Amino acid sequence: MNSHLPQGGSTETMPMLWTLLLDAPVGIALLDPEMRVLKLNSLMAELIGLTSLEYVRHHASEVFREHAPVVLELLAQAASSGVSKREVQFDILVPGHSHRWVLHAYPLFDGQTVPGYGLLATESRRTAESEAPSVLINSEERFRLLAENAVDMIYRYRITPDPGFEYVSPAATTMLGYTPEEHYHDPHLSSKIVHPSDRLLLQTILSGAHSGHPVMLRWQHRNGNLVWTEQRNRLIRDTLGRPVAIEGIARDVTDRRRTEEALIQALEAERHARHVAEVLHSANLALTRSLDADHVMAALLEHLSSLVPYDSAAVLLLEGDDRLVFRAARGYERFGTAEGIVGLSVDVGADPVLKPIVERRRSFLVMDTANATRWQVRPGFGHIRNWFGVPLLAGETVIGVFCLDKAEANFFTPEHVDMAELLAMPAAIALQNARLFGEVTSGRARMRALSERLVAVQETERAHLARELHDEIGQMLTSLSLALTVSDRMPVEMLRERIAQVQRQVNQLTTQVRTLSLNLRPAMLDDLGLLPALVWFTRRYGDQTGIQVQLQHAGLDQQVITPSVGATAYRVVQEALTNVARHAKVTRALVQVWATDAILAVQVMDEGVGFDVELALTAYSSSGLIGMQERVRLAGGYLTVESAPGEGVRVLAEIPLTPPEERF
């Protein structure tokens, strides 16, 4: 393509056109056929660093200076070819212009000749575009080197059209145990190895719906370990604003998280330990504040609720050798079973859950009563699904058990049992102290009542003895005194009759004195021993009361029975048979006496009307029972009284053959 000047014009006669081009956004230079510069517009002058007065009529080699070889070559090509050289590029870089420029050479025709040439400098868009890939390639290469050597995992996840990873840095292998290739091959790998609790959050992130702030995710490492990562993601959108990808970086914060969790656990453990210490301190104060067993058991159940979240709980005390009795309960009212629980008794030997607690002196936990073969369902306890019992130990002796219940199976843990056991020892000590205090208080009351009864009995016996001496023996002695008073003139026959009368009265008096003496203490007990005294007493008792007594004995002739032991046994039989005569309403009774190497045992039984033993002892209404108890206790033995209304009576005294003061 050639450039033509307007007809009749020249390069020097176009002021209007040149005025228009002077400030054009492209650089323009006009040269004559000898390559001298005629004109430069403002931009061309600025690009080559000249002013307009410096270049007029100067050769192109002087005007373009260091660029002259390229410019002259370009002009020569345009002159020889006669066409413009538009695609020949020439970069002009000058201060203040960061862009690249392309220089074009044009031959100018006025119709037949070439009166000159034109140079046109335009901004080099093609050059910038052609170099952009190289710059991007270099930048991408630097990014890849950085990403592949980074400790953090860098990734790009494609949201649409086909979700999957476009890039995963090698750090993924160390961090999660899976290579980048495995992530590329399985688009769902991240969802498979993320922690189940974090799966929904990950899906939200990968869908592009997450807000973009840093998040914590947990992952299952290929080796099975749990890995914590902190994710920082950026959502990539297309020109229409639609999410197309997620770019992010994941940092392994497992060690930091473990440190944080360890600190949290330490703080929680410290808080829990402080809470337990406060509960134990409060419990110790409450348990030792009272010597009343009911208050102690109530305090135990109250403080247990601060350590173990139970639904219901109870305290059972061991009474006798094989009976656990419910003495305190809490929480059963929620299940409508509060009434009637206190006072229930359980046979320890027949209960497969309580028996090992008492025998082994160790706690016992039932995780699910519905599946436990040992568990026995009792009325009022149907709500229990989880249960454990803790023994109350006073030294090495089990004095009771407290148990905690839950309506939810598998709720209690061994840690709950450990917490409850912390209160077992102080509670057992408090209960033992309360029991001892009760026994001392009861003993004092019994002693006071016994003393009062003994004084009354002594006064009664003294009054009876006084009446016997005054009414019977006194009268006989007075009669004897009168009978012995005789006159000197009394006939012999009358004197003989008077002597015979006196002899009869003396014999009668002797009998009454002997009877009175035997009632106080039979002489044969000291002279002949226990067995002859019992034989004589039971026969005489039968003659006097009409109650036939069967006496059975064994081993009495093989042991040495001291007078004190024999007297104790004799008084037990005497008092027991006296009660039979007064209250039993029977015609038969059984007395059994036997001796072993260590003890002398006396047992008296009847099948009469019976009575409430506990009521009789606590009301101190039976001085005979209390007297027997104290007499046997002073001898170092034990007295057992078993009876109930309508079921007869069994009295058993076990007396050591060796007196207490001689055992050491």
Side-chain angles (χ1 to χ4, degrees):
M1 177 179 178
N2 297 324
S3 298
H4 295 270
L5 293 174
Q7 288 290 333
S10 69
T11 59
E12 299 181 82
T13 60
M14 294 183 291
M16 293 181 62
L17 178 61
W18 184 250
T19 300
L20 179 64
L21 297 176
L22 185 63
D23 295 319
V26 294
I28 301 173
L30 298 179
L31 296 88
D32 62 14
E34 285 76 23
M35 304 300 177
R36 290 189 297 251
V37 175
L38 300 176
K39 288 183 179 294
L40 292 176
N41 73 348
S42 300
L43 181 60
M44 180 65 82
E46 183 180 357
L47 290 176
I48 61 178
L50 298 174
T51 63
S52 59
L53 296 176
E54 291 178 303
Y55 56 78
V56 176
R57 296 298 179 181
H58 285 257
H59 193 269
S61 60
E62 298 178 49
V63 174
F64 291 96
R65 290 175 292 192
E66 66 268 21
H67 303 300
V70 177
V71 173
L72 293 175
E73 177 65 25
L74 187 61
L75 290 171
Q77 292 180 7
S80 62
S81 63
V83 296
S84 63
K85 296 300 180 179
R86 299 180 59 186
E87 299 302 325
V88 177
Q89 297 185 3
F90 173 60
D91 295 341
I92 302 175
L93 294 175
V94 297
H97 291 272
S98 58
H99 299 289
R100 296 180 181 274
W101 300 81
V102 179
L103 193 64
H104 304 266
Y106 298 90
L108 299 176
F109 292 94
D110 59 359
Q112 296 180 352
T113 61
V114 179
Y117 300 93
L119 290 174
L120 182 65
T122 62
E123 187 175 350
S124 179
R125 297 184 181 275
R126 179 178 297 178
T127 301
E129 292 173 357
S130 65
E131 290 188 355
S134 175
V135 173
L136 290 176
I137 289 173
N138 292 335
S139 177
E140 180 179 335
E141 183 64 23
R142 288 194 298 270
F143 170 78
R144 185 174 297 276
L145 289 174
L146 178 64
E148 291 182 353
N149 289 278
V151 176
D152 298 335
M153 185 178 77
I154 302 170
Y155 52 88
R156 178 182 173 91
Y157 182 84
R158 181 178 59 254
I159 298 176
T160 184
D162 297 320
F165 283 98
E166 294 180 348
Y167 176 75
V168 177
S169 68
T173 305
T174 303
M175 189 177 297
L176 301 175
Y178 297 90
T179 64
E181 289 72 19
E182 289 177 292
H183 285 81
Y184 302 148
H185 179 72
D186 186 356
H188 305 292
L189 177 60
S190 58
S191 296
K192 294 177 181 177
I193 65 176
V194 74
H195 193 280
S197 300
D198 296 342
R199 191 164 292 149
L200 181 60
L201 177 58
L202 176 64
Q203 293 173 355
T204 303
I205 294 173
L206 296 183
S207 68
H210 192 260
S211 61
H213 60 269
V215 296
M216 301 285 285
L217 291 176
R218 291 166 290 178
W219 307 87
Q220 192 75 26
H221 194 280
R222 171 165 275 171
N223 62 14
N225 293 335
L226 183 67
V227 177
W228 286 83
T229 61
E230 183 181 65
Q231 313 278 141
R232 294 179 180 270
N233 301 301
R234 184 170 68 95
L235 182 63
I236 307 301
R237 300 179 183 272
D238 60 12
T239 56
L240 298 178
R242 295 172 299 188
V244 295
I246 298 289
E247 291 180 351
I249 182 169
R251 173 164 295 178
D252 187 344
V253 294
T254 304
D255 292 340
R256 187 185 79 189
R257 187 64 183 180
R258 287 174 180 168
T259 302
E260 292 173 352
E261 289 181 346
L263 179 59
I264 293 173
Q265 290 175 0
L267 293 174
E268 177 63 23
E270 190 271 338
R271 186 199 65 78
H272 180 66
R274 185 184 300 111
H275 170 70
V276 171
E278 291 173 352
V279 172
L280 291 178
H281 177 68
S282 175
N284 280 324
L285 291 178
L287 292 172
T288 57
R289 185 176 294 123
S290 175
L291 288 172
D292 181 80
D294 291 337
H295 291 167
V296 170
M297 291 185 287
L300 170 62
L301 295 181
E302 178 182 355
H303 286 85
L304 276 172
S305 65
S306 299
L307 294 179
V308 182
Y310 63 78
D311 288 334
S312 52
V315 180
L316 297 80
L317 297 182
L318 193 62
E319 300 182 5
D321 295 331
D322 57 356
R323 305 296 296 179
L324 278 170
V325 182
F326 284 81
R327 290 305 180 191
R330 180 177 179 174
Y332 291 94
E333 60 275 1
R334 294 176 49 198
F335 307 97
T337 58
E339 295 295 331
I341 288 182
V342 176
L344 288 177
S345 64
V346 180
D347 184 352
V348 176
D351 192 293
V353 173
L354 294 174
K355 182 179 180 181
I357 297 177
V358 175
E359 290 183 348
R360 301 174 187 173
R361 302 192 293 276
R362 287 166 47 186
S363 301
F364 192 90
L365 173 63
V366 179
M367 297 303 299
D368 188 354
T369 59
N371 299 323
T373 57
R374 292 188 176 189
W375 184 257
Q376 294 180 348
V377 180
R378 292 187 174 88
F381 301 92
H383 67 280
I384 300 175
R385 288 294 304 276
N386 196 190
W387 178 96
F388 72 86
V390 178
L392 291 166
L393 295 172
E396 294 297 322
T397 303
V398 177
I399 64 171
V401 173
F402 66 84
C403 54
L404 281 70
D405 320 322
K406 196 73 179 176
E408 175 186 349
N410 302 309
F411 177 84
F412 293 134
T413 65
E415 287 73 19
H416 287 129
V417 179
D418 293 340
M419 287 291 102
E421 287 178 345
L422 293 175
L423 288 179
M425 181 177 293
I429 294 173
L431 283 172
Q432 186 72 346
N433 290 339
R435 174 177 291 181
L436 293 175
F437 179 76
E439 290 178 356
V440 170
T441 303
S442 177
R444 288 175 179 173
R446 285 199 304 270
M447 288 298 294
R448 184 167 53 253
L450 179 60
S451 297
E452 294 173 355
R453 294 290 296 178
L454 287 176
V455 170
V457 168
Q458 286 176 351
E459 291 300 322
T460 302
E461 290 296 328
R462 288 171 181 171
H464 174 69
L465 183 59
R467 284 195 302 270
E468 288 287 335
L469 293 174
H470 180 272
D471 296 342
E472 299 293 334
I473 298 176
Q475 290 180 6
M476 287 185 178
L477 290 174
T478 301
S479 177
L480 282 174
S481 178
L482 291 175
L484 291 174
T485 302
V486 296
S487 174
D488 295 339
R489 298 187 295 271
M490 180 176 291
V492 175
E493 291 298 328
M494 185 179 294
L495 183 59
R496 289 177 180 172
E497 184 179 349
R498 181 68 62 86
I499 292 173
Q501 180 184 357
V502 170
Q503 288 177 342
R504 288 193 300 270
Q505 289 179 342
V506 169
N507 291 336
Q508 186 179 358
L509 180 60
T510 301
T511 301
Q512 288 187 343
V513 171
R514 184 182 297 111
T515 300
L516 186 61
S517 175
L518 289 174
N519 287 336
L520 292 175
R521 180 182 179 91
M524 68 179 65
L525 182 62
D526 298 321
D527 298 336
L528 302 178
L530 176 62
L531 183 57
L534 289 177
V535 171
W536 170 82
F537 174 75
T538 54
R539 289 177 180 174
R540 180 170 175 269
Y541 174 85
D543 295 338
Q544 292 177 340
T545 63
I547 299 174
Q548 183 180 352
V549 179
Q550 182 182 2
L551 176 62
Q552 298 176 348
H553 58 87
L556 298 184
D557 56 345
Q558 299 176 6
Q559 302 296 334
V560 176
I561 301 175
T562 63
S564 61
V565 173
T568 301
Y570 181 86
R571 292 304 183 190
V572 169
V573 174
Q574 185 182 44
E575 188 60 45
L577 288 178
T578 299
N579 288 337
V580 171
R582 290 177 178 174
H583 309 293
K585 299 180 181 179
V586 295
T587 59
R588 293 178 180 273
L590 174 64
V591 175
Q592 296 174 319
V593 185
W594 68 93
T596 66
D597 292 341
I599 66 168
L600 172 66
V602 176
Q603 182 169 264
V604 180
M605 295 186 294
D606 68 72
E607 297 178 355
V609 296
F611 62 95
D612 188 326
V613 177
E614 184 175 358
L615 180 61
L617 291 175
T618 55
Y620 311 115
S621 60
S622 175
S623 60
L625 286 180
I626 297 175
M628 282 191 290
Q629 275 190 331
E630 293 302 322
R631 192 182 294 274
V632 173
R633 185 183 65 82
L634 290 174
Y638 299 94
L639 182 75
T640 303
V641 181
E642 295 180 355
S643 182
E647 297 185 5
V649 180
R650 184 177 80 95
V651 177
L652 172 63
E654 298 173 290
I655 310 165
L657 293 175
T658 303
E661 63 273 10
E662 298 179 8
R663 294 180 196 169
F664 302 100

